């Protein structure tokens, strides 16, 4: 089974260490685009978790 691509892991780390809400929103958007491009079940599950926890 393939793991989550390293670029997506790094984007997740960047999102989690954002210093402001505006920065977090931008990083979340970038991560979402990468998840769509990866088109992998593991990244889709990761995105579903982020969406479930994100307070809109």
């Amino acid at each position: 089974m393939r793991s989550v691509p390293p670029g997506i892991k790094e984007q997740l780390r960047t999102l989690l260490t954002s210093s402001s809400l505006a920065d977090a929103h931008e990083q979340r958007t970038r991560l979402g685009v990468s998840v769509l491009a990866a088109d992998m079940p593991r990244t889709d599950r990761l995105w579903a978790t982020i969406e479930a926890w994100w307070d809109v």
Side-chain angles (χ1 to χ4, degrees):
M1 181 182 301
R2 293 174 50 185
S3 65
V4 174
I8 290 181
K9 287 181 183 180
E10 187 58 38
Q11 286 181 325
L12 177 60
R13 286 185 192 102
T14 302
L15 169 61
L16 295 174
T17 59
S18 296
S19 59
S20 69
L21 291 176
D23 186 39
H25 179 73
E26 180 181 336
Q27 296 306 322
R28 178 176 165 250
T29 301
R30 289 179 186 213
L31 178 59
V33 169
S34 294
V35 166
L36 286 172
D39 193 29
M40 297 172 62
R42 295 188 101 183
T43 58
D44 292 344
R45 285 192 302 273
L46 171 65
W47 186 249
T49 301
I50 291 168
E51 287 290 293
W53 284 89
W54 196 270
D55 185 18
V56 178

